[in-house]
């Protein structure tokens, strides 16, 4: 089968309504981040494989799109925005005053083992606050997350909070190897709780297995923290101070955002293995996937020999645009067709260059064809440029 007219599995062309909506959503987010004092950076679309695996494997190798450069070195197409920004900050911005506030608007690419309708290509716009472990830094990130979800124009949204320490404490208590630990994290990440049950089956019954199996039900408001203490702390006493910290962040989030927009989900895990504390996800009505994901990653920059704390999040622009387009197709901005005969064309295009109107050059050679072209393209009207005279009329 010839593949010249196809796109690879998990990828696809972005047509006009989706592309236009993504541009608008990204623009709204970029303006929002700028108002909060964040400055834009860009990282290359291709990074060395070692950036993601040198001292710690932050992504499973099978989830990265790999290639070989002309020197035989292994490279990957950017699978994440945060790790390259950590590399950038450590190598090029380590002399800058802290905290640093950076934002990005980039494509990221990951292989999916099952796809299940998901894309390998993701348009992400996000922020990173680097150099502060302060309570205020967490407050700013939570407030900005809610502001980002509101900026999309979707009023039905929620922000779910958790702490990676809950799952990591239970993994340590279970005393499993890293391979099984990764499978447990992946099952939680994918909300595949039947697979989680299968993975834990060889360990029989006990407080740790009971705690893992209870995680899917530990979702809701403040009340679930007491239930969590009863189930999780007997499995691992390490969890108790983590739940105390999470309770404080939950109270903070409720004071920063509307209460009905904030939830707790103690089963949250993340495909990116660099988070160290608070993690959060944002959801909007109409999307089954999280449209916002982030958290605190206080150890990541240490792997690049610049040990500073950080927190950030990314917004899936493509998912939000898809939801908005399903609700209301974007309207085509009104435009006029600009008609000029061959002799008048240079003058007409020079005149056009100084205008702010939306003027589209007509391809018709005769005035008889012009009205048909205007109707076919949906033009609001016609501007005819003849011997220096300009005539406007509505279709």
């Amino acid at each position: 089968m010839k593949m010249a007219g196809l796109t690879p599995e998990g990828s696809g062309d972005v047509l006009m309504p989706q592309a236009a909506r993504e541009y608008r959503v990204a623009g709204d987010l970029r303006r929002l981040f700028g108002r909060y004092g964040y400055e834009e950076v860009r990282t290359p679309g291709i990074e060395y494989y070692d950036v993601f695996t040198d001292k710690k494997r932050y992504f499973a190798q099978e989830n990265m799109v790999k290639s070989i450069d002309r020197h035989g070195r292994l490279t990957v197409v950017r699978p994440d925005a945060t790790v390259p920004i950590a590399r950038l900050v450590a190598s090029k911005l380590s002399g800058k005053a802290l905290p640093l506030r950076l934002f990005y608007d980039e494509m990221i690419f990951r292989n999916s083992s099952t796809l299940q309708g998901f894309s390998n290509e993701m348009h992400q716009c996000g922020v990173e606050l680097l150099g502060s472990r302060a309570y205020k830094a967490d407050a700013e990130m939570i407030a900005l997350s809610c502001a980002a979800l509101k900026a999309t124009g979707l009023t039905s949204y929620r922000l779910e909070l958790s702490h990676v320490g809950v799952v990591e404490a239970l993994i340590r208590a279970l005393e499993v190897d890293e391979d099984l630990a990764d499978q447990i994290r992946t099952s939680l990440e994918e909300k595949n709780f039947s697979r989680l049950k299968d993975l834990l089956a060889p360990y029989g019954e006990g407080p740790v297995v009971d705690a893992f199996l209870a995680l899917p039900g530990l979702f809701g408001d403040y009340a679930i923290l007491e239930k969590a203490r009863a189930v999780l702390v007997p499995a691992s006493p390490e969890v108790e101070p983590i739940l105390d910290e999470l309770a404080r962040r939950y109270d903070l989030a409720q004071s920063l955002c509307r209460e009905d927009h904030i939830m707790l989900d103690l089963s949250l895990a993340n495909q990116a293995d660099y988070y160290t504390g608070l993690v959060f996800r944002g959801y909007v009505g109409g999307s089954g996937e999280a449209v916002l994901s982030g958290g605190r990653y206080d150890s990541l920059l240490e792997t690049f020999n610049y040990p500073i704390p950080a927190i950030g999040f990314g917004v899936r622009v493509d998912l939000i645009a898809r939801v908005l387009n399903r609700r209301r197709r974007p309207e085509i901005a009104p435009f006029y067709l600009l008609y000029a005969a061959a002799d008048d064309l240079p003058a007409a295009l020079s005149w056009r260059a100084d205008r702010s109107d939306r003027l589209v050059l007509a391809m018709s050679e005769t005035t008889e064809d012009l009205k048909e072209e205007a109707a076919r393209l949906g033009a609001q009207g016609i501007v005819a440029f003849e011997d220096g005279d300009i005539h406007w009329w509505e279709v």
Side-chain angles (χ1 to χ4, degrees):
M1 179 181 179
K2 291 186 177 181
M3 314 298 284
L6 306 176
T7 60
E9 187 178 30
S11 67
D13 300 311
V14 180
L15 301 184
M16 294 82 78
Q18 176 74 9
R21 187 75 78 176
E22 285 188 29
Y23 178 82
R24 293 172 192 171
V25 171
D28 290 339
L29 292 172
R30 292 163 67 94
R31 285 186 288 274
L32 172 69
F33 298 155
R35 291 199 299 272
Y36 273 70
Y38 288 76
E39 298 179 282
E40 185 175 14
V41 293
R42 295 179 190 169
T43 60
I46 298 176
E47 296 270 0
Y48 285 118
Y49 179 76
D50 289 350
V51 170
F52 298 91
T53 61
D54 187 25
K55 296 181 180 177
K56 186 175 182 181
R57 181 166 291 178
Y58 293 113
F59 291 90
Q61 64 88 19
E62 63 269 18
N63 290 341
M64 294 188 277
V65 182
K66 296 178 284 293
S67 63
I68 305 293
D69 73 6
R70 62 191 180 94
H71 300 292
R73 293 172 295 205
L74 188 59
T75 63
V76 296
V77 185
R78 184 197 302 116
D80 174 78
T82 298
V83 175
I85 287 177
R87 173 197 53 72
L88 178 153
V89 169
S91 62
K92 296 181 174 66
L93 299 177
S94 59
K96 294 284 188 180
L98 298 176
L100 277 173
R101 288 178 169 86
L102 305 176
F103 82 84
Y104 60 87
D105 181 7
E106 297 179 329
M107 295 295 294
I108 61 176
F109 304 85
R110 293 178 192 164
N111 277 327
S112 172
S113 57
T114 58
L115 289 183
Q116 297 176 338
F118 300 121
S119 174
N120 286 341
E121 302 176 299
M122 292 156 272
H123 183 177
Q124 193 173 92
C125 192
V127 294
E128 314 291 354
L129 176 55
L130 307 107
S132 177
R133 195 178 277 106
Y135 180 80
K136 286 183 179 180
D138 289 5
E140 180 169 309
M141 264 317 103
I142 293 170
L144 189 49
S145 294
C146 291
L149 292 172
K150 285 191 286 187
T152 67
L154 294 168
T155 56
S156 174
Y157 69 86
R158 72 177 186 274
L159 193 68
E160 298 179 1
L161 309 182
S162 190
H163 193 296
V164 296
V166 172
V167 172
E168 294 307 306
L170 294 180
I171 286 174
R172 286 191 293 273
L174 195 59
E175 298 180 345
V176 298
D177 60 34
E178 191 56 31
D179 180 61
L180 182 55
D182 282 342
Q183 292 183 61
I184 290 172
R185 294 186 192 103
T186 300
S187 298
L188 291 168
E189 164 78 11
E190 297 175 350
K191 303 296 186 186
N192 190 342
F193 300 125
S194 62
R195 183 167 180 262
L196 175 66
K197 190 173 181 178
D198 291 340
L199 291 171
L200 296 172
Y203 293 86
E205 298 179 354
V208 180
V209 171
D210 291 345
F212 268 116
L213 296 178
L215 286 177
L218 296 177
F219 173 87
D221 58 18
Y222 194 89
I224 67 115
L225 288 173
E226 289 311 309
K227 182 180 177 183
R229 291 180 202 281
V231 178
L232 304 183
V233 174
S236 173
E238 292 181 49
V239 173
E240 187 153 27
I242 293 170
L243 294 178
D244 291 339
E245 180 182 343
L246 186 56
R248 290 191 290 272
R249 295 302 180 267
Y250 178 77
D251 288 339
L252 173 64
Q254 287 219 312
S255 66
L256 293 169
C257 311
R258 279 177 44 188
E259 290 186 10
D260 56 339
H261 289 307
I262 305 300
M263 304 288 282
L264 292 165
D265 182 359
L266 299 192
S267 70
L268 277 188
N270 203 297
Q271 189 175 3
D273 193 25
Y274 46 69
Y275 289 110
T276 57
L278 174 71
V279 287
F280 44 89
R281 298 269 180 88
Y283 294 86
V284 296
S287 176
E289 295 181 70
V291 300
L292 181 150
S293 181
R296 180 159 284 283
Y297 53 99
D298 289 341
S299 302
L300 175 58
L301 279 93
E302 188 173 350
T303 65
F304 298 101
N305 300 312
Y306 189 39
I308 60 170
I311 186 171
F313 67 83
V315 179
R316 285 285 303 275
V317 173
D318 53 323
L319 293 181
I320 290 173
R322 207 167 295 146
V323 171
L324 289 169
N325 278 343
R326 281 199 298 265
R327 295 189 177 185
R328 186 179 70 251
R329 303 289 286 181
E331 296 178 2
I332 299 175
F335 68 93
Y336 282 76
L337 277 186
L338 172 61
Y339 171 78
D343 291 344
D344 291 316
L345 190 58
L349 290 177
S350 295
W351 172 80
R352 166 68 188 87
D354 295 327
R355 303 282 303 185
S356 60
D357 318 71
R358 192 161 186 250
L359 299 172
V360 176
L361 183 65
M363 295 292 109
S364 298
E365 295 292 343
T366 66
T367 54
E368 289 74 20
D369 296 332
L370 186 58
K371 289 185 178 180
E372 189 278 329
E373 182 180 354
R376 186 174 71 248
L377 298 180
Q380 180 179 345
I382 295 170
V383 183
F385 196 98
E386 298 176 293
D387 298 323
D389 294 328
I390 302 166
H391 305 282
W392 297 72
W393 70 86
E394 304 291 317
V395 173

